[in-house]
Amino acid sequence: MTALEKATGDAVFKFEPFVFHVLCRELQDAQLLHSVAVDSGFRNSGITVGKGGKITMAVRSTHCLEVPLSHKGRLMVSEEYIEFLVHVANQKMEENI
């Protein structure tokens, strides 16, 4: 809160989703892993094939959070709301684990 009160610009509370990259030997391996990831709730997962044929499967969570806290140095939310955001972010981290 002290840092936020001293901020002169914009501050954002941000929680990034879980991402796990797996290099796969065969496209079929990546497709199988993709199916398992999506069936497990990681709906933003995907397969990328690079120019050199490198096959990467990315397991991605949907648990993200991005909330503006201040604008041009003016705090836009209460300390109670920030505590609530921290609680929500911690719950999302538990779900990632």
Side-chain angles (χ1 to χ4, degrees):
M1 288 305 300
T2 303
L4 277 173
E5 290 166 0
K6 292 179 182 179
T8 58
D10 296 350
V12 176
F13 185 95
K14 192 170 186 178
F15 177 85
E16 294 284 341
F18 167 80
V19 179
F20 179 59
H21 291 100
V22 180
L23 187 60
C24 300
R25 290 186 181 162
E26 303 289 333
L27 183 57
Q28 296 85 347
D29 298 331
Q31 290 170 328
L32 176 61
L33 180 56
H34 181 262
S35 294
V36 170
V38 170
D39 290 346
S40 297
F42 296 99
R43 296 183 305 269
N44 287 347
S45 299
I47 299 169
T48 304
V49 180
K51 289 182 182 178
K54 182 170 84 170
I55 303 165
T56 305
M57 167 54 202
V59 180
R60 292 187 190 97
S61 168
T62 58
H63 299 107
C64 61
L65 180 66
E66 187 170 351
V67 181
L69 301 178
S70 68
H71 179 65
K72 296 182 180 177
R74 182 171 172 250
L75 190 59
M76 305 300 288
V77 298
S78 68
E79 184 173 352
E80 179 182 6
Y81 187 68
I82 293 172
E83 289 172 5
F84 170 73
L85 290 176
V86 170
H87 176 74
V88 170
N90 285 336
Q91 284 179 321
K92 290 178 181 293
M93 180 63 81
E94 286 298 319
E95 290 175 26
N96 277 341
I97 291 170

Coordinates of all heavy atoms in Angstrom, one line a residue:
M1 N 0.8 -1.2 0.0 CA 0.0 0.0 0.0 C 0.9 1.3 0.0 O 0.5 2.2 -0.7 CB -0.9 0.0 1.2 CG -2.1 -1.0 1.1 SD -3.1 -0.9 -0.3 CE -3.8 0.7 -0.2
T2 N 2.0 1.2 0.7 CA 2.9 2.4 0.8 C 3.4 2.7 -0.6 O 3.4 3.8 -1.0 CB 4.0 2.1 1.8 OG1 3.5 1.8 3.0 CG2 5.0 3.3 1.9
A3 N 3.8 1.7 -1.3 CA 4.4 1.9 -2.7 C 3.3 2.4 -3.6 O 3.5 3.3 -4.4 CB 4.9 0.6 -3.2
L4 N 2.1 1.9 -3.5 CA 1.0 2.3 -4.3 C 0.7 3.8 -4.0 O 0.4 4.6 -5.0 CB -0.3 1.5 -4.1 CG -0.4 0.2 -4.9 CD1 -1.6 -0.6 -4.4 CD2 -0.4 0.5 -6.4
E5 N 0.7 4.2 -2.8 CA 0.4 5.6 -2.4 C 1.4 6.5 -3.0 O 1.1 7.7 -3.2 CB 0.2 5.7 -0.9 CG -1.1 5.0 -0.4 CD -1.1 4.8 1.1 OE1 -0.1 5.2 1.8 OE2 -2.1 4.2 1.5
K6 N 2.7 6.1 -3.1 CA 3.7 6.9 -3.7 C 3.8 6.9 -5.2 O 4.6 7.7 -5.8 CB 5.1 6.4 -3.1 CG 5.2 6.7 -1.6 CD 6.5 6.2 -1.0 CE 6.6 6.4 0.5 NZ 7.9 5.9 1.0
A7 N 3.1 6.0 -5.8 CA 3.2 5.8 -7.3 C 2.7 7.0 -8.0 O 1.8 7.7 -7.5 CB 2.4 4.6 -7.7
T8 N 3.4 7.4 -9.1 CA 3.0 8.6 -9.8 C 2.3 8.2 -11.2 O 1.8 9.0 -11.8 CB 4.2 9.5 -10.1 OG1 5.2 8.7 -10.8 CG2 4.8 10.0 -8.8
G9 N 2.5 6.9 -11.6 CA 1.9 6.5 -12.8 C 0.7 5.5 -12.6 O 0.0 5.7 -11.6
D10 N 0.6 4.6 -13.5 CA -0.5 3.6 -13.5 C 0.1 2.3 -12.8 O 1.2 1.9 -13.1 CB -1.0 3.3 -14.8 CG -1.7 4.5 -15.5 OD1 -1.9 5.5 -14.8 OD2 -2.0 4.4 -16.7
A11 N -0.7 1.7 -12.0 CA -0.3 0.5 -11.3 C -1.4 -0.6 -11.6 O -2.6 -0.3 -11.6 CB -0.1 0.6 -9.8
V12 N -0.9 -1.8 -11.9 CA -1.8 -2.9 -12.3 C -1.5 -4.1 -11.4 O -0.3 -4.4 -11.3 CB -1.7 -3.2 -13.8 CG1 -2.6 -4.4 -14.1 CG2 -2.1 -2.0 -14.6
F13 N -2.5 -4.7 -10.9 CA -2.3 -6.0 -10.2 C -2.5 -7.1 -11.3 O -3.6 -7.1 -11.9 CB -3.4 -6.2 -9.1 CG -3.2 -7.4 -8.3 CD1 -2.5 -7.4 -7.1 CD2 -3.7 -8.7 -8.7 CE1 -2.3 -8.5 -6.3 CE2 -3.5 -9.8 -7.9 CZ -2.8 -9.7 -6.7
K14 N -1.5 -7.9 -11.4 CA -1.5 -8.9 -12.5 C -1.1 -10.3 -12.0 O -0.1 -10.4 -11.4 CB -0.6 -8.4 -13.6 CG -0.8 -9.2 -14.9 CD 0.0 -8.5 -16.0 CE -0.2 -9.1 -17.4 NZ 0.5 -8.5 -18.4
F15 N -1.9 -11.3 -12.4 CA -1.6 -12.7 -12.1 C -1.6 -13.4 -13.5 O -2.6 -13.4 -14.2 CB -2.7 -13.3 -11.2 CG -2.4 -14.8 -11.0 CD1 -1.6 -15.2 -10.0 CD2 -3.0 -15.8 -11.7 CE1 -1.3 -16.5 -9.7 CE2 -2.8 -17.1 -11.5 CZ -1.9 -17.5 -10.5
E16 N -0.4 -14.0 -13.8 CA -0.3 -14.6 -15.1 C -0.7 -16.1 -15.0 O -0.4 -16.8 -14.0 CB 1.2 -14.5 -15.6 CG 1.7 -13.1 -15.9 CD 1.1 -12.6 -17.2 OE1 0.7 -13.4 -18.0 OE2 1.1 -11.4 -17.4
P17 N -1.3 -16.7 -16.0 CA -1.7 -18.1 -16.0 C -0.4 -19.0 -16.1 O 0.6 -18.6 -16.6 CB -2.6 -18.2 -17.2 CG -2.2 -17.1 -18.1 CD -1.7 -16.0 -17.3
F18 N -0.6 -20.2 -15.6 CA 0.4 -21.3 -15.7 C 0.6 -21.6 -17.2 O -0.3 -21.7 -18.0 CB -0.2 -22.5 -15.0 CG 0.6 -23.8 -15.3 CD1 1.7 -24.0 -14.6 CD2 0.1 -24.7 -16.2 CE1 2.4 -25.2 -14.8 CE2 0.8 -25.9 -16.4 CZ 2.0 -26.1 -15.7
V19 N 1.9 -21.7 -17.6 CA 2.3 -22.2 -18.9 C 3.4 -23.2 -18.8 O 4.4 -23.0 -18.1 CB 2.8 -21.0 -19.8 CG1 3.2 -21.5 -21.2 CG2 1.7 -19.9 -19.9
F20 N 3.3 -24.3 -19.5 CA 4.2 -25.4 -19.5 C 4.5 -25.8 -20.9 O 3.6 -26.3 -21.6 CB 3.7 -26.6 -18.6 CG 4.6 -27.7 -18.6 CD1 5.9 -27.6 -18.0 CD2 4.2 -29.0 -19.0 CE1 6.7 -28.7 -17.9 CE2 5.0 -30.1 -18.9 CZ 6.3 -30.0 -18.3
H21 N 5.7 -25.6 -21.4 CA 6.1 -25.9 -22.8 C 6.8 -27.3 -22.8 O 7.7 -27.6 -22.0 CB 7.0 -24.9 -23.4 CG 6.4 -23.6 -23.6 ND1 6.5 -22.5 -22.7 CD2 5.6 -23.2 -24.6 CE1 5.8 -21.5 -23.2 NE2 5.2 -21.9 -24.3
V22 N 6.3 -28.1 -23.7 CA 6.9 -29.5 -23.9 C 7.3 -29.6 -25.4 O 6.5 -29.5 -26.3 CB 5.9 -30.5 -23.5 CG1 6.5 -31.9 -23.7 CG2 5.3 -30.4 -22.1
L23 N 8.6 -30.0 -25.6 CA 9.1 -30.3 -26.9 C 8.8 -31.7 -27.2 O 9.1 -32.6 -26.5 CB 10.6 -30.0 -27.0 CG 11.2 -30.1 -28.3 CD1 10.6 -29.0 -29.3 CD2 12.7 -29.8 -28.2
C24 N 8.0 -32.0 -28.3 CA 7.6 -33.3 -28.7 C 8.3 -33.8 -29.9 O 8.6 -33.1 -30.8 CB 6.1 -33.3 -29.0 SG 5.1 -32.8 -27.6
R25 N 8.6 -35.1 -29.9 CA 9.3 -35.7 -31.1 C 8.4 -35.9 -32.3 O 8.8 -35.7 -33.4 CB 9.9 -37.1 -30.7 CG 11.0 -37.0 -29.7 CD 11.6 -38.3 -29.5 NE 12.7 -38.1 -28.5 CZ 13.3 -39.1 -27.9 NH1 12.9 -40.3 -28.0 NH2 14.3 -38.8 -27.0
E26 N 7.2 -36.3 -32.0 CA 6.2 -36.5 -33.1 C 4.9 -35.7 -32.9 O 4.6 -35.4 -31.8 CB 5.8 -38.0 -33.1 CG 7.0 -39.0 -33.3 CD 7.6 -38.9 -34.7 OE1 6.9 -38.6 -35.6 OE2 8.8 -39.2 -34.8
L27 N 4.3 -35.3 -34.0 CA 3.0 -34.6 -33.9 C 2.0 -35.4 -33.1 O 1.2 -34.8 -32.4 CB 2.5 -34.3 -35.3 CG 1.3 -33.4 -35.4 CD1 1.4 -32.1 -34.6 CD2 0.9 -33.2 -36.8
Q28 N 2.0 -36.7 -33.3 CA 1.0 -37.5 -32.6 C 1.2 -37.4 -31.1 O 0.2 -37.4 -30.3 CB 1.1 -39.0 -33.0 CG 0.8 -39.3 -34.4 CD 2.0 -39.0 -35.4 OE1 3.0 -38.5 -35.0 NE2 1.8 -39.5 -36.6
D29 N 2.4 -37.3 -30.6 CA 2.7 -37.1 -29.2 C 2.1 -35.8 -28.7 O 1.5 -35.7 -27.6 CB 4.2 -37.1 -28.9 CG 4.9 -38.5 -29.3 OD1 4.2 -39.5 -29.2 OD2 6.1 -38.4 -29.6
A30 N 2.3 -34.8 -29.5 CA 1.8 -33.4 -29.1 C 0.3 -33.5 -29.1 O -0.4 -32.9 -28.2 CB 2.3 -32.4 -30.1
Q31 N -0.3 -34.1 -30.1 CA -1.8 -34.2 -30.1 C -2.4 -35.0 -28.9 O -3.4 -34.6 -28.3 CB -2.3 -34.9 -31.4 CG -2.0 -34.0 -32.6 CD -2.2 -34.8 -33.9 OE1 -2.0 -36.0 -34.0 NE2 -2.7 -34.0 -34.9
L32 N -1.7 -36.0 -28.5 CA -2.1 -36.8 -27.3 C -2.0 -35.9 -26.1 O -3.0 -35.9 -25.3 CB -1.3 -38.1 -27.1 CG -1.6 -38.9 -25.9 CD1 -3.0 -39.4 -25.9 CD2 -0.6 -40.1 -25.8
L33 N -0.9 -35.3 -25.9 CA -0.7 -34.4 -24.7 C -1.7 -33.2 -24.8 O -2.3 -32.9 -23.7 CB 0.7 -33.8 -24.7 CG 1.1 -32.9 -23.6 CD1 0.8 -33.6 -22.2 CD2 2.5 -32.4 -23.7
H34 N -2.0 -32.7 -25.9 CA -3.0 -31.6 -26.1 C -4.4 -32.1 -25.6 O -5.1 -31.4 -24.8 CB -3.1 -31.1 -27.5 CG -4.0 -30.0 -27.7 ND1 -5.3 -30.2 -28.2 CD2 -3.9 -28.7 -27.5 CE1 -5.9 -29.1 -28.2 NE2 -5.1 -28.1 -27.8
S35 N -4.7 -33.3 -26.0 CA -6.0 -33.9 -25.6 C -6.1 -34.0 -24.1 O -7.1 -33.7 -23.5 CB -6.3 -35.3 -26.3 OG -6.4 -35.1 -27.6
V36 N -5.0 -34.5 -23.5 CA -5.0 -34.7 -22.0 C -5.1 -33.4 -21.3 O -5.8 -33.2 -20.4 CB -3.7 -35.5 -21.6 CG1 -3.5 -35.5 -20.1 CG2 -3.7 -36.9 -22.1
A37 N -4.4 -32.4 -21.8 CA -4.4 -31.0 -21.2 C -5.8 -30.4 -21.3 O -6.3 -29.9 -20.3 CB -3.3 -30.1 -21.9
V38 N -6.4 -30.4 -22.5 CA -7.7 -29.8 -22.6 C -8.7 -30.6 -21.7 O -9.6 -30.0 -21.1 CB -8.1 -29.8 -24.1 CG1 -9.6 -29.4 -24.2 CG2 -7.3 -28.9 -24.9
D39 N -8.7 -31.9 -21.7 CA -9.6 -32.7 -20.9 C -9.4 -32.4 -19.4 O -10.3 -32.7 -18.6 CB -9.4 -34.2 -21.2 CG -9.9 -34.6 -22.5 OD1 -10.7 -33.8 -23.2 OD2 -9.6 -35.7 -23.0
S40 N -8.2 -32.0 -19.0 CA -7.8 -31.7 -17.6 C -8.2 -30.2 -17.3 O -8.0 -29.8 -16.1 CB -6.4 -31.9 -17.4 OG -6.0 -33.3 -17.6
G41 N -8.8 -29.5 -18.2 CA -9.2 -28.1 -17.9 C -8.3 -27.0 -18.4 O -8.6 -25.8 -18.2
F42 N -7.2 -27.4 -19.1 CA -6.3 -26.4 -19.6 C -6.7 -26.0 -21.0 O -6.1 -26.4 -22.0 CB -4.8 -26.9 -19.5 CG -4.3 -27.1 -18.2 CD1 -4.3 -28.4 -17.6 CD2 -3.9 -26.1 -17.4 CE1 -3.9 -28.6 -16.3 CE2 -3.5 -26.3 -16.1 CZ -3.5 -27.5 -15.5
R43 N -7.8 -25.2 -21.1 CA -8.4 -25.0 -22.4 C -7.6 -24.1 -23.4 O -7.9 -24.1 -24.6 CB -9.8 -24.4 -22.2 CG -10.7 -25.3 -21.4 CD -12.1 -24.7 -21.2 NE -12.1 -23.4 -20.6 CZ -12.2 -23.2 -19.3 NH1 -12.3 -24.2 -18.5 NH2 -12.2 -22.0 -18.8
N44 N -6.7 -23.4 -22.9 CA -5.9 -22.5 -23.7 C -4.6 -23.1 -24.3 O -3.7 -22.5 -24.8 CB -5.5 -21.2 -23.0 CG -6.7 -20.3 -22.8 OD1 -7.7 -20.5 -23.5 ND2 -6.6 -19.3 -22.0
S45 N -4.6 -24.4 -24.2 CA -3.4 -25.2 -24.6 C -3.3 -25.2 -26.1 O -4.4 -25.1 -26.8 CB -3.4 -26.6 -24.1 OG -3.4 -26.6 -22.6
G46 N -2.1 -25.4 -26.7 CA -2.0 -25.5 -28.1 C -0.7 -26.1 -28.6 O 0.2 -26.3 -27.8
I47 N -0.6 -26.4 -29.9 CA 0.5 -27.0 -30.5 C 1.1 -26.0 -31.5 O 0.3 -25.4 -32.3 CB 0.1 -28.3 -31.3 CG1 -0.4 -29.3 -30.2 CG2 1.3 -28.9 -32.0 CD1 -1.1 -30.5 -30.9
T48 N 2.4 -25.9 -31.6 CA 3.1 -25.0 -32.5 C 4.1 -25.8 -33.2 O 4.9 -26.6 -32.6 CB 3.8 -23.8 -31.8 OG1 2.8 -23.1 -31.1 CG2 4.4 -22.9 -32.8
V49 N 4.2 -25.7 -34.6 CA 5.2 -26.4 -35.3 C 6.1 -25.3 -36.0 O 5.6 -24.5 -36.8 CB 4.6 -27.3 -36.4 CG1 5.7 -28.0 -37.2 CG2 3.7 -28.3 -35.8
G50 N 7.4 -25.3 -35.6 CA 8.3 -24.2 -36.1 C 8.7 -24.5 -37.5 O 8.5 -25.6 -38.1
K51 N 9.4 -23.5 -38.1 CA 9.9 -23.7 -39.5 C 10.8 -24.9 -39.7 O 10.8 -25.5 -40.7 CB 10.6 -22.4 -40.0 CG 9.7 -21.2 -40.2 CD 10.4 -20.0 -40.7 CE 9.5 -18.9 -40.8 NZ 10.2 -17.6 -41.3
G52 N 11.6 -25.1 -38.6 CA 12.6 -26.3 -38.7 C 11.9 -27.6 -38.3 O 12.6 -28.6 -38.2
G53 N 10.6 -27.6 -38.1 CA 9.9 -28.8 -37.7 C 9.8 -29.1 -36.3 O 9.3 -30.2 -35.9
K54 N 10.3 -28.2 -35.4 CA 10.3 -28.4 -34.0 C 8.8 -28.3 -33.5 O 8.1 -27.3 -33.8 CB 11.1 -27.3 -33.3 CG 11.2 -27.4 -31.8 CD 12.2 -26.5 -31.2 CE 11.6 -25.1 -31.0 NZ 12.4 -24.2 -30.2
I55 N 8.3 -29.3 -32.8 CA 6.9 -29.4 -32.4 C 6.9 -29.1 -30.9 O 7.5 -29.8 -30.1 CB 6.4 -30.8 -32.6 CG1 6.5 -31.2 -34.1 CG2 4.9 -30.9 -32.2 CD1 6.3 -32.6 -34.4
T56 N 6.2 -28.0 -30.5 CA 6.1 -27.6 -29.2 C 4.6 -27.6 -28.7 O 3.7 -27.1 -29.4 CB 6.6 -26.2 -29.0 OG1 8.0 -26.1 -29.4 CG2 6.6 -25.8 -27.5
M57 N 4.3 -28.3 -27.6 CA 3.0 -28.3 -27.0 C 3.0 -27.4 -25.8 O 3.9 -27.6 -25.0 CB 2.7 -29.8 -26.7 CG 1.5 -30.0 -25.8 SD 0.0 -29.2 -26.4 CE -0.9 -29.1 -24.9
A58 N 2.1 -26.5 -25.8 CA 2.1 -25.5 -24.6 C 0.8 -25.8 -23.8 O -0.3 -25.8 -24.4 CB 2.0 -24.1 -25.1
V59 N 1.0 -26.2 -22.6 CA -0.1 -26.4 -21.7 C -0.4 -25.1 -21.0 O 0.5 -24.6 -20.3 CB 0.2 -27.5 -20.6 CG1 -1.0 -27.7 -19.7 CG2 0.5 -28.8 -21.3
R60 N -1.6 -24.5 -21.2 CA -1.8 -23.2 -20.6 C -3.1 -23.2 -19.8 O -4.1 -23.6 -20.2 CB -2.0 -22.2 -21.7 CG -0.7 -21.9 -22.5 CD -1.0 -20.7 -23.5 NE 0.2 -20.6 -24.4 CZ 0.2 -21.1 -25.6 NH1 -0.8 -21.8 -26.1 NH2 1.3 -21.0 -26.4
S61 N -3.0 -22.5 -18.6 CA -4.2 -22.4 -17.8 C -5.0 -21.1 -18.2 O -4.5 -20.3 -18.9 CB -3.7 -22.2 -16.3 OG -4.7 -21.7 -15.5
T62 N -6.2 -21.1 -17.8 CA -7.0 -19.9 -18.1 C -7.1 -19.0 -16.9 O -7.8 -18.0 -16.9 CB -8.5 -20.3 -18.4 OG1 -9.0 -21.1 -17.4 CG2 -8.5 -21.1 -19.7
H63 N -6.3 -19.3 -15.8 CA -6.4 -18.5 -14.6 C -5.6 -17.3 -14.6 O -4.4 -17.3 -14.2 CB -5.9 -19.4 -13.4 CG -6.8 -20.6 -13.2 ND1 -6.3 -21.9 -13.5 CD2 -8.0 -20.8 -12.7 CE1 -7.2 -22.7 -13.2 NE2 -8.3 -22.1 -12.7
C64 N -6.1 -16.2 -15.2 CA -5.4 -15.0 -15.2 C -6.2 -13.9 -14.5 O -7.4 -14.0 -14.3 CB -5.0 -14.6 -16.6 SG -6.5 -14.3 -17.7
L65 N -5.5 -12.8 -14.2 CA -6.2 -11.7 -13.5 C -5.4 -10.5 -13.8 O -4.2 -10.4 -13.6 CB -6.2 -12.0 -12.0 CG -6.9 -11.0 -11.1 CD1 -8.4 -10.9 -11.3 CD2 -6.7 -11.4 -9.6
E66 N -6.1 -9.4 -14.2 CA -5.4 -8.1 -14.5 C -6.3 -7.0 -14.1 O -7.4 -6.9 -14.7 CB -4.9 -8.0 -15.9 CG -4.1 -6.8 -16.2 CD -3.5 -6.8 -17.6 OE1 -3.5 -7.8 -18.3 OE2 -2.9 -5.8 -18.0
V67 N -6.0 -6.3 -13.1 CA -6.9 -5.2 -12.5 C -6.1 -3.9 -12.3 O -5.1 -3.9 -11.6 CB -7.5 -5.7 -11.2 CG1 -8.4 -4.6 -10.6 CG2 -8.2 -7.0 -11.3
P68 N -6.5 -2.8 -12.9 CA -5.9 -1.5 -12.6 C -6.1 -1.1 -11.2 O -7.2 -1.3 -10.6 CB -6.6 -0.6 -13.6 CG -7.4 -1.4 -14.5 CD -7.6 -2.7 -13.9
L69 N -5.1 -0.6 -10.6 CA -5.2 -0.2 -9.2 C -5.1 1.4 -9.0 O -5.7 1.9 -8.2 CB -4.1 -0.8 -8.3 CG -4.0 -2.3 -8.3 CD1 -2.8 -2.8 -7.4 CD2 -5.3 -2.9 -7.7
S70 N -4.2 1.9 -9.9 CA -4.1 3.4 -9.8 C -4.0 3.9 -11.3 O -3.6 3.2 -12.2 CB -2.9 3.8 -9.0 OG -1.7 3.4 -9.7
H71 N -4.3 5.2 -11.4 CA -4.2 5.9 -12.7 C -3.7 7.3 -12.5 O -4.2 8.1 -11.7 CB -5.6 6.0 -13.3 CG -5.6 6.7 -14.6 ND1 -5.0 6.1 -15.7 CD2 -6.2 7.8 -15.0 CE1 -5.2 6.9 -16.8 NE2 -5.9 8.0 -16.4
K72 N -2.5 7.5 -13.2 CA -1.8 8.8 -13.0 C -1.5 9.1 -11.6 O -1.7 10.3 -11.2 CB -2.6 9.9 -13.7 CG -2.7 9.7 -15.2 CD -3.5 10.9 -15.9 CE -3.6 10.6 -17.4 NZ -4.3 11.7 -18.1
G73 N -1.1 8.1 -10.8 CA -0.8 8.3 -9.4 C -1.9 8.4 -8.4 O -1.7 8.4 -7.2
R74 N -3.2 8.3 -8.9 CA -4.3 8.3 -8.1 C -4.8 6.9 -7.8 O -5.2 6.2 -8.7 CB -5.5 9.1 -8.7 CG -6.7 9.2 -7.8 CD -7.7 10.2 -8.4 NE -8.9 10.1 -7.6 CZ -10.1 9.6 -8.1 NH1 -10.1 9.2 -9.3 NH2 -11.1 9.6 -7.3
L75 N -4.8 6.4 -6.6 CA -5.3 5.1 -6.2 C -6.8 5.0 -6.5 O -7.5 5.9 -6.0 CB -5.0 4.9 -4.7 CG -5.2 3.4 -4.2 CD1 -4.3 2.4 -5.0 CD2 -4.9 3.3 -2.7
M76 N -7.2 4.0 -7.2 CA -8.6 3.9 -7.6 C -9.4 2.8 -6.8 O -10.6 2.7 -7.0 CB -8.6 3.5 -9.1 CG -7.9 4.4 -10.0 SD -8.5 6.1 -10.0 CE -10.0 6.0 -10.9
V77 N -8.7 2.1 -5.9 CA -9.4 1.0 -5.2 C -9.0 1.1 -3.7 O -8.0 1.8 -3.4 CB -9.0 -0.4 -5.7 CG1 -9.5 -0.5 -7.2 CG2 -7.5 -0.6 -5.6
S78 N -9.7 0.5 -2.9 CA -9.4 0.5 -1.4 C -8.4 -0.6 -1.1 O -8.2 -1.6 -1.8 CB -10.7 0.2 -0.6 OG -11.2 -1.1 -0.9
E79 N -7.9 -0.5 0.1 CA -7.0 -1.5 0.6 C -7.7 -2.8 0.8 O -7.2 -3.9 0.5 CB -6.4 -1.1 2.0 CG -5.3 -2.0 2.5 CD -4.6 -1.5 3.8 OE1 -4.8 -0.3 4.1 OE2 -3.9 -2.3 4.3
E80 N -9.0 -2.7 1.2 CA -9.8 -4.0 1.4 C -9.9 -4.7 0.0 O -9.8 -5.9 -0.1 CB -11.2 -3.6 1.9 CG -12.1 -4.8 2.1 CD -13.5 -4.4 2.6 OE1 -13.8 -3.2 2.7 OE2 -14.3 -5.3 2.8
Y81 N -10.1 -3.9 -1.1 CA -10.2 -4.5 -2.4 C -8.9 -5.2 -2.8 O -8.9 -6.3 -3.4 CB -10.7 -3.5 -3.4 CG -11.0 -4.1 -4.8 CD1 -12.1 -5.0 -4.9 CD2 -10.2 -3.9 -5.9 CE1 -12.3 -5.6 -6.1 CE2 -10.5 -4.5 -7.1 CZ -11.5 -5.3 -7.2 OH -11.8 -5.9 -8.4
I82 N -7.8 -4.6 -2.5 CA -6.5 -5.1 -2.9 C -6.3 -6.4 -2.1 O -5.8 -7.4 -2.7 CB -5.4 -4.1 -2.6 CG1 -5.5 -2.9 -3.6 CG2 -4.0 -4.8 -2.7 CD1 -4.6 -1.8 -3.3
E83 N -6.7 -6.5 -0.8 CA -6.6 -7.7 0.0 C -7.4 -8.8 -0.7 O -7.0 -10.0 -0.7 CB -7.0 -7.4 1.4 CG -6.0 -6.6 2.2 CD -6.5 -6.2 3.5 OE1 -7.6 -6.6 3.9 OE2 -5.8 -5.4 4.2
F84 N -8.6 -8.4 -1.2 CA -9.5 -9.4 -1.9 C -8.8 -9.9 -3.1 O -8.8 -11.1 -3.4 CB -10.8 -8.7 -2.2 CG -11.7 -9.5 -3.1 CD1 -12.3 -10.6 -2.7 CD2 -11.8 -9.1 -4.5 CE1 -13.1 -11.4 -3.5 CE2 -12.6 -9.9 -5.3 CZ -13.3 -11.0 -4.8
L85 N -8.2 -9.0 -3.9 CA -7.5 -9.4 -5.1 C -6.4 -10.4 -4.8 O -6.2 -11.4 -5.5 CB -6.9 -8.2 -5.9 CG -7.9 -7.3 -6.5 CD1 -7.2 -6.1 -7.1 CD2 -8.7 -8.0 -7.6
V86 N -5.6 -10.1 -3.8 CA -4.5 -11.0 -3.3 C -5.1 -12.4 -3.0 O -4.6 -13.5 -3.4 CB -3.7 -10.4 -2.2 CG1 -2.8 -11.5 -1.6 CG2 -3.0 -9.2 -2.6
H87 N -6.2 -12.4 -2.3 CA -6.9 -13.7 -1.9 C -7.3 -14.5 -3.2 O -7.1 -15.7 -3.3 CB -8.1 -13.4 -1.1 CG -8.9 -14.6 -0.7 ND1 -8.4 -15.6 0.2 CD2 -10.1 -15.1 -1.2 CE1 -9.3 -16.6 0.3 NE2 -10.3 -16.3 -0.5
V88 N -7.9 -13.8 -4.2 CA -8.3 -14.4 -5.4 C -7.1 -14.9 -6.2 O -7.1 -16.1 -6.7 CB -9.1 -13.4 -6.3 CG1 -9.4 -13.9 -7.7 CG2 -10.4 -13.1 -5.6
A89 N -6.0 -14.1 -6.3 CA -4.8 -14.6 -7.0 C -4.2 -15.8 -6.3 O -3.8 -16.7 -6.9 CB -3.8 -13.4 -7.0
N90 N -4.2 -15.8 -4.9 CA -3.7 -17.0 -4.2 C -4.5 -18.2 -4.5 O -4.0 -19.3 -4.6 CB -3.6 -16.7 -2.7 CG -2.5 -15.8 -2.4 OD1 -1.5 -15.7 -3.1 ND2 -2.6 -15.1 -1.3
Q91 N -5.9 -18.1 -4.6 CA -6.7 -19.2 -5.0 C -6.4 -19.7 -6.4 O -6.3 -20.9 -6.6 CB -8.2 -18.8 -4.9 CG -8.8 -18.7 -3.5 CD -10.2 -18.2 -3.5 OE1 -10.6 -17.4 -4.4 NE2 -11.0 -18.8 -2.6
K92 N -6.2 -18.8 -7.3 CA -5.8 -19.2 -8.6 C -4.4 -19.9 -8.6 O -4.3 -20.9 -9.4 CB -5.7 -18.0 -9.6 CG -7.1 -17.4 -9.8 CD -7.0 -16.1 -10.7 CE -8.4 -15.5 -11.0 NZ -9.2 -16.4 -11.8
M93 N -3.5 -19.5 -7.8 CA -2.2 -20.2 -7.7 C -2.4 -21.6 -7.2 O -1.8 -22.5 -7.7 CB -1.3 -19.4 -6.8 CG 0.1 -20.0 -6.6 SD 1.0 -20.1 -8.2 CE 1.7 -18.5 -8.2
E94 N -3.3 -21.7 -6.2 CA -3.6 -23.1 -5.7 C -4.1 -24.0 -6.8 O -3.8 -25.2 -6.9 CB -4.5 -23.0 -4.5 CG -3.8 -22.5 -3.2 CD -2.7 -23.4 -2.7 OE1 -2.9 -24.6 -2.7 OE2 -1.7 -22.8 -2.3
E95 N -5.0 -23.4 -7.6 CA -5.6 -24.2 -8.7 C -4.6 -24.6 -9.7 O -4.6 -25.7 -10.2 CB -6.7 -23.4 -9.3 CG -8.0 -23.2 -8.5 CD -9.0 -22.4 -9.1 OE1 -9.1 -22.2 -10.3 OE2 -9.8 -21.8 -8.3
N96 N -3.6 -23.7 -9.9 CA -2.5 -24.0 -10.8 C -1.7 -25.2 -10.3 O -1.3 -26.1 -11.1 CB -1.6 -22.8 -11.0 CG -2.1 -21.8 -12.1 OD1 -2.9 -22.2 -12.9 ND2 -1.6 -20.6 -12.0
I97 N -1.4 -25.1 -9.0 CA -0.6 -26.2 -8.4 C -1.3 -27.5 -8.5 O -0.8 -28.5 -8.8 CB -0.3 -25.8 -6.9 CG1 0.7 -24.7 -6.9 CG2 0.3 -27.0 -6.2 CD1 0.9 -24.1 -5.5

